[in-house]
């Protein structure tokens, strides 16, 4: 029996979580975790697999014989831009855990804005007991842009919580019981949307799509006063100067931003601590590292048994 | 056709919401909204119905001929303590809107604690981009005490969000697919519970049930470090001195409190602004005033047509 190819791991996650996740993973196969200085300068040629997230710039010039590259996350725009990415199958991480975590974040942020959490926290800080007029979820339409696995799961859970939901994707998608809109119907979609949730991949078509023009077309008829922008997709999809202007002018009444044009977000960014803006450091759907390695193992097993890989990326579409 | 009896409305809600809610309500019947000074000193004898929430102390000595009293909320402990409450049917407000609003609050607060919102807000305030190790909902067991309409709806929605859920009520209740515990099994229930959600009515049996002894029996094996206490039921069920001690000693890792022993919460209460404690002013499930009046009208119609009233209170049980 031939020796199994090692797996290169180059994940810029929390190092301890990667180490813990690797315990017991890839049984019968060497793991080369590049976070470990012991591998510095090691010859990586002849190795078949790499699992990467924000990997070292010289990875692909060192690992010249990769047969499959695995992305450590659902989005692959970071991976597609890596210098020297070889022309081999690129596999996205599609995982129950990643999907449910994103929905946790989306539902929590829709509820934070619905339930006026910021206003109540300000009152608590001032020791003020005062109730505010409170719409219920059924009075709010959440418009989700991006109807992949993440968007569909978020919609299903928002509906259970009582929100009205509608969906948008470039090409029309049919989702059970949900009104959906395509590229040509963007205006109609925006005109109905009180809370806009972005779960789009970053592609040439979605770059900068969340801009002043789009924000100005959102519904202003909602019970909540002004529309809210919630982005759990990619920072490159938003024009941050426009988000800021819209928040300051009241075109947007609030925002939840997990992603930014430049990450980490600059120390002096005005988004930090803005009123009714929740900033999180790209953690909406952190990959569960153990689940990632289980998913990679399953795909490697398929690959070595001659079965087609699942969740491969269409590089032209960008997702 | 005899003239229809007027309806007395004595609701200490937001006055404008009551006024708005009354527009178009109780068609063909006079409404006596006691918030309107025009009714001061008016003779209220001979009137059949009153809708009350924290009503005036002299209401029942003025309205001596009531046939039905309607509570403006799901809980009736406030109403049961009203001086001179006549021995006539007392009807609770059971409403889709009230239930879904409570579940919004419960799910949001479970997500806030799961997703380490307080820690991320502190980092945002300090302009610090740092991700934290993040368990997912499936790693947390939410134990719900109180398995009435509110508890069952909350459990169903927490499950959809991925949480493990268990339930407790004094007498065993069977809820589809959920492990439930009764009075004798309280220890077993607490030993499995990471997030404790209180949705109990206030009765002699539930008064002070959330105390030091109970908190000390909660699970400390959870991934989140220390258990969390979330009370959307009644303030009288919690011993606030014990909640404070438990939070300060780390027996509890956090709390969400919508209800208090004394409301409004005192200006100098230490709960305001405590770390990882969310305080809201008894708004988890504000009654939707329009829905309340629709529900009352429906019951009056049943009553006048000789049909049995629904959602009447068992005064011995207290709910």
């Amino acid at each position: 029996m031939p020796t199994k190819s090692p797996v290169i791991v180059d994940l810029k996650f929390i190092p301890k979580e990667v180490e813990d996740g690797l315990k017991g993973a890839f049984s019968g196969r060497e793991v080369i975790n590049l976070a470990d200085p012991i591998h510095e300068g090691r010859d990586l040629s002849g190795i078949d697999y790499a699992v990467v997230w924000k990997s070292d710039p010289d990875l692909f010039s060192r690992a010249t014989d990769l047969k499959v590259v695995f992305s450590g996350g659902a989005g692959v725009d970071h991976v597609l831009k890596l210098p020297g990415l070889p022309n081999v199958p690129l596999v996205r991480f599609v995982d129950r855990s990643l999907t449910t975590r994103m929905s946790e974040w989306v539902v929590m942020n829709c509820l934070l804005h619905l339930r006026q959490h910021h206003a109540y926290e300000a009152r608590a800080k001032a020791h003020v007991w005062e109730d505010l007029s409170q719409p219920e979820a059924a009075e709010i339409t959440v418009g989700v842009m991006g109807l992949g696995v993440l968007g569909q799961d978020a919609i299903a859970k928002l509906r259970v919580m009582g929100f009205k939901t509608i969906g948008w994707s470039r090409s029309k998608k049919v989702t059970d019981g949900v009104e959906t809109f395509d590229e040509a119907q963007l205006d109609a979609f925006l005109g109905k949307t009180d809370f806009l949730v972005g779960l789009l991949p970053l592609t040439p078509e979605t770059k900068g799509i969340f801009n002043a023009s789009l924000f100005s077309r959102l519904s202003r008829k909602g019970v909540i006063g002004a529309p809210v922008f919630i982005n759990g997709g990619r920072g490159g999809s938003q024009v941050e100067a426009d988000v800021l202007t819209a928040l300051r002018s009241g075109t947007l009444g609030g925002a939840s931003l997990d992603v930014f044009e430049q990450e980490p977000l600059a120390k002096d960014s005005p988004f930090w601590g803005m009123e009714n803006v929740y900033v999180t450091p790209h953690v909406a759907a952190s990959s569960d590292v153990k689940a990632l390695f289980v998913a990679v193992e399953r795909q490697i097993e398929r690959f070595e048994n001659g079965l087609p890989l699942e969740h491969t990326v269409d590089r032209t579409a960008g997702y």
Side-chain angles (χ1 to χ4, degrees), chain A:
Chain A
M1 210 168 105
T3 312
K4 289 177 171 180
S5 164
V7 177
I8 299 166
V9 172
D10 190 2
L11 295 165
K12 302 302 186 296
F13 295 162
I14 297 174
K16 179 150 183 350
E17 294 205 346
V18 175
E19 276 167 47
D20 289 350
L22 282 171
K23 283 175 193 154
F26 299 110
S27 132
R29 200 181 292 278
E30 191 196 0
V31 173
I32 304 170
N33 181 0
L34 294 185
D36 187 339
I38 204 173
H39 298 300
E40 205 171 310
R42 172 166 173 175
D43 177 12
L44 300 177
S45 65
I47 294 176
D48 294 351
Y49 312 113
V51 191
V52 304
W53 186 253
K54 300 185 181 167
S55 55
D56 294 337
D58 65 351
L59 174 67
F60 298 118
S61 60
R62 292 173 65 196
T64 48
D65 299 309
L66 293 174
K67 291 182 179 157
V68 187
V69 174
F70 297 91
S71 167
V76 293
D77 46 291
H78 289 290
V79 180
L80 286 172
K81 282 186 291 193
L82 291 174
L85 178 70
N87 189 22
V88 299
L90 173 60
V91 174
R92 276 185 309 134
F93 179 36
V94 175
D95 179 60
R96 179 202 59 75
S97 159
L98 197 144
T99 305
T100 57
R101 283 162 187 267
M102 179 60 86
S103 291
E104 289 169 11
W105 185 85
V106 169
V107 170
M108 178 177 80
N109 279 284
C110 287
L111 289 171
L112 284 174
H113 290 286
L114 169 67
R115 298 296 300 235
Q116 306 175 85
H117 180 73
H118 175 79
Y120 279 120
E121 283 294 280
R123 278 161 181 75
K125 206 177 156 194
H127 299 208
V128 170
W129 179 276
E130 180 193 14
D131 57 342
L132 305 168
S133 183
Q134 181 59 60
E136 60 169 320
E139 296 172 72
I140 300 287
T141 298
V142 183
V144 176
M145 291 183 74
L147 295 175
V149 175
L150 297 182
Q152 296 200 26
D153 192 70
I155 284 177
K157 288 172 180 172
L158 289 165
R159 290 177 75 190
V160 168
M161 292 310 302
F163 289 100
K164 280 185 280 192
T165 55
I166 56 178
W168 180 93
S169 58
R170 277 213 305 141
S171 52
K172 184 99 173 176
K173 287 212 174 121
V174 178
T175 301
D176 229 20
V178 178
E179 192 182 8
T180 57
F181 300 77
D182 67 14
E183 193 155 25
Q185 302 164 306
L186 180 59
D187 275 10
F189 167 83
L190 295 172
K192 292 188 176 206
T193 294
D194 301 309
F195 290 1
L196 178 66
V197 173
L199 289 174
L200 291 166
L202 184 58
T203 68
E205 288 78 18
T206 64
K207 190 166 176 348
I209 194 170
F210 300 120
N211 57 30
S213 157
L214 181 142
F215 296 139
S216 72
R217 287 177 281 159
L218 288 166
S219 167
R220 305 191 66 77
K221 302 186 294 280
V223 286
I224 211 83
V228 168
F229 175 51
I230 297 171
N231 196 0
R234 280 289 178 264
S237 299
Q238 71 203 10
V239 179
E240 281 168 22
D242 289 4
V243 179
L244 269 175
T245 305
L247 284 166
R248 286 172 173 158
S249 68
T251 297
L252 289 175
S256 295
L257 304 172
D258 186 57
V259 291
F260 298 89
E261 290 176 34
Q262 293 293 330
E263 297 178 2
L265 184 62
K267 265 273 184 196
D268 62 353
S269 164
F271 284 118
W272 295 114
M274 262 183 106
E275 204 165 311
N276 215 22
V277 176
Y278 301 104
V279 168
T280 43
H282 203 148
V283 295
S286 327
S287 300
D288 178 292
V289 184
K290 279 188 201 297
L292 168 63
F293 294 140
V294 170
V296 170
E297 279 190 272
R298 192 173 53 231
Q299 294 305 320
I300 288 180
E301 194 185 321
R302 290 179 65 92
F303 184 73
E304 296 186 346
N305 287 317
L307 294 168
L309 290 163
E310 297 167 316
H311 313 307
T312 53
V313 171
D314 174 346
R315 295 198 190 191
T316 316
Y319 57 92

